[in-house]
Amino acid sequence: WGKAHLQKKKKKKMSASCSEAHNTAPCTEPTSRRLSSTGSFSLLSYNLYIQPPGIKNNGNAYKDARLRLFVDEYLSRFDIVCLQEVWRSVLPFDNRQETLIKQAISKGFLYHARPGPPNVFRLKFIDGGLITLSRHPIVSHEWHPFDHGGIAIERFVTNGILYTKIQIGETFVHIFNTHLQSDQLTYHRVEGIGKSSRQLQMAELLSLIVKHTSQDLYPVFVLGDLNIEALDNSVHPPTTTAEYGELLAYLGARDLAAEANAGRPPVTIGDSYVNENGERTPVDMVMTGPDDWCAMQCLDYILLLNRPEPTVTEGSESNGENLHSVSIHDVTVEKFCVKSQPFSVLSDHYGISAVLEVQNSQS
């Protein structure tokens, strides 16, 4: 929501390395796969960018068309889908979340979790925009709105963390779906303001993780649009940023998409290509705002937290809780390309998916 709001007020002059000349870029779409074993599941994290009514990006946002295409063409590929920016406002006719949930049920996603409605008495007019859809039973969940609820335009949005505990066969996984403070909305990216807000939100995230996971050893995933820029493109070749390193160290986490990409976080927003004239060109200029054209940045993650080995001292007995190992069969950047539409991708972000298998370490 805030991205479109800000872009109405300001158009960033593109760098000389990013041409506005736009051809239809090759958009190759990987084929996600699902495993049939009892402990396996396919997981998607995706910022779908469905703004509230009346908020648009570059003219027409094609919200209903994009939502319909996502459900009809892509949803069935996955078992657990964690979405960001599927906003619900206080407007009585804003029913896109309900439409999505009903359509997902018809596709076999019988379980879902989402934030509560926005609280206008706290000057919150938009909910957290998070939805977790699952084919597997959600046995418990919690919506935690951030105490540090955002700055600039995001102070009117109920950002937070959507926690779910999901049963996969005979075991469970903990999933924390979240959307942290953006830099784009912080007074024209004043140095440090967005990061300071994210640090406070990260402390709340870690506290919630401890609350829900300290009594077991099931796998823990943190995913979503964390608004932490992973790539430092000011140097060549690009390196990772300090804030990205701090994220992994603070949570004690592995970045599954980076591991699958030779250690380099993949581009999830502002993708570009070199056209036939040798000019670097945005892949998308319909969903993506000018601020992010050719940004070649990573903001989206599936993180797997490192869990401690269970400790059993001599003469004591285990409580029966064993470490549950995760086998990673496939991690994919999901571009969600479309054809024969006035837009070429479903969102300004790419998604991240993983095909995973959870097993008890003693099995």
Side-chain angles (χ1 to χ4, degrees):
W1 173 49
K3 290 180 288 189
H5 176 87
L6 185 66
Q7 284 154 7
K8 287 180 177 180
K9 296 163 57 177
K10 141 180 174 234
K11 293 269 188 176
K12 186 179 84 172
K13 184 178 180 181
M14 290 189 300
S15 66
S17 62
C18 188
S19 169
E20 210 166 338
H22 184 61
N23 299 324
T24 301
C27 192
T28 57
E29 188 62 45
T31 302
S32 304
R33 57 193 179 96
R34 296 165 61 195
L35 301 180
S36 57
S37 57
T38 302
S40 69
F41 63 101
S42 56
L43 174 65
L44 171 69
S45 177
Y46 189 34
N47 180 329
L48 192 49
Y49 197 24
I50 303 295
Q51 313 101 312
I55 305 297
K56 301 178 182 179
N57 194 358
N58 298 319
N60 193 329
Y62 305 103
K63 300 169 194 175
D64 292 327
R66 291 189 291 115
L67 194 58
R68 182 176 62 253
L69 283 168
F70 176 69
V71 171
D72 292 345
E73 302 294 332
Y74 292 105
L75 188 61
S76 295
R77 293 184 181 184
F78 308 102
D79 296 311
I80 300 172
V81 174
C82 298
L83 300 174
Q84 303 89 45
E85 292 200 17
V86 183
W87 306 110
R88 173 175 52 165
S89 70
V90 297
L91 297 174
F93 55 85
D94 185 4
N95 59 3
R96 288 191 178 95
Q97 273 192 16
E98 285 74 14
T99 299
L100 171 60
I101 290 168
K102 290 178 181 178
Q103 293 174 340
I105 290 172
S106 71
K107 298 285 186 179
F109 291 82
L110 303 183
Y111 309 93
H112 75 272
R114 61 172 172 166
N119 187 344
V120 294
F121 298 105
R122 297 185 60 190
L123 297 181
K124 301 293 186 179
F125 304 105
I126 311 291
D127 80 341
L130 305 175
I131 301 179
T132 297
L133 306 168
S134 179
R135 299 181 186 274
H136 300 276
I138 296 176
V139 298
S140 65
H141 72 278
E142 180 182 351
W143 163 241
H144 173 82
F146 287 128
D147 295 329
H148 185 83
I151 54 180
I153 195 68
E154 288 190 24
R155 67 187 181 274
F156 301 114
V157 180
T158 320
N159 280 338
I161 308 156
L162 182 61
Y163 162 72
T164 51
K165 182 179 181 180
I166 300 179
Q167 183 174 359
I168 308 292
E170 297 180 354
T171 187
F172 300 88
V173 294
H174 300 287
I175 295 179
F176 295 83
N177 179 9
T178 191
H179 188 192
L180 303 184
Q181 171 72 49
S182 168
D183 279 330
Q184 287 183 308
L185 314 178
T186 53
Y187 310 104
H188 297 262
R189 302 192 183 193
V190 174
E191 183 72 26
I193 292 180
K195 181 178 180 180
S196 297
S197 179
R198 285 192 296 276
Q199 288 174 332
L200 294 171
Q201 293 172 347
M202 287 290 295
E204 294 184 49
L205 171 60
L206 186 59
S207 177
L208 194 68
I209 291 171
V210 172
K211 172 183 175 181
H212 285 288
T213 70
S214 61
Q215 300 303 310
D216 63 54
L217 291 170
Y218 298 123
V220 179
F221 296 91
V222 172
L223 48 77
D225 176 0
L226 303 188
N227 274 312
I228 292 174
E229 296 186 349
L231 298 172
D232 181 359
N233 292 315
S234 65
V235 296
H236 184 78
T239 60
T240 55
T241 65
E243 189 177 3
Y244 172 74
E246 292 163 4
L247 163 70
L248 300 185
Y250 185 71
L251 293 179
R254 301 164 53 189
D255 180 354
L256 299 190
E259 288 184 3
N261 192 41
R264 175 183 167 87
V267 170
T268 65
I269 187 169
D271 200 3
S272 65
Y273 70 104
V274 177
N275 65 18
E276 66 272 15
N277 297 320
E279 300 169 321
R280 182 157 295 281
T281 303
V283 166
D284 166 70
M285 301 194 330
V286 178
M287 292 298 101
T288 307
D291 271 7
D292 290 316
W293 290 347
C294 301
M296 300 291 289
Q297 193 50 262
C298 176
L299 301 177
D300 305 86
Y301 304 92
I302 295 180
L303 305 179
L304 174 61
L305 271 60
N306 299 314
R307 307 239 51 191
E309 293 282 352
T311 301
V312 181
T313 59
E314 185 177 354
S316 67
E317 293 184 1
S318 168
N319 63 2
E321 177 58 55
N322 301 303
L323 186 68
H324 295 256
S325 62
V326 179
S327 297
I328 303 165
H329 294 279
D330 191 29
V331 180
T332 304
V333 175
E334 302 283 357
K335 297 185 177 182
F336 295 114
C337 306
V338 295
K339 297 179 180 179
S340 304
Q341 297 288 338
F343 48 91
S344 61
V345 289
L346 288 183
S347 174
D348 58 339
H349 287 246
Y350 293 157
I352 303 290
S353 73
V355 178
L356 307 162
E357 188 171 8
V358 181
Q359 293 180 327
N360 187 297
S361 60
Q362 288 190 348
S363 61

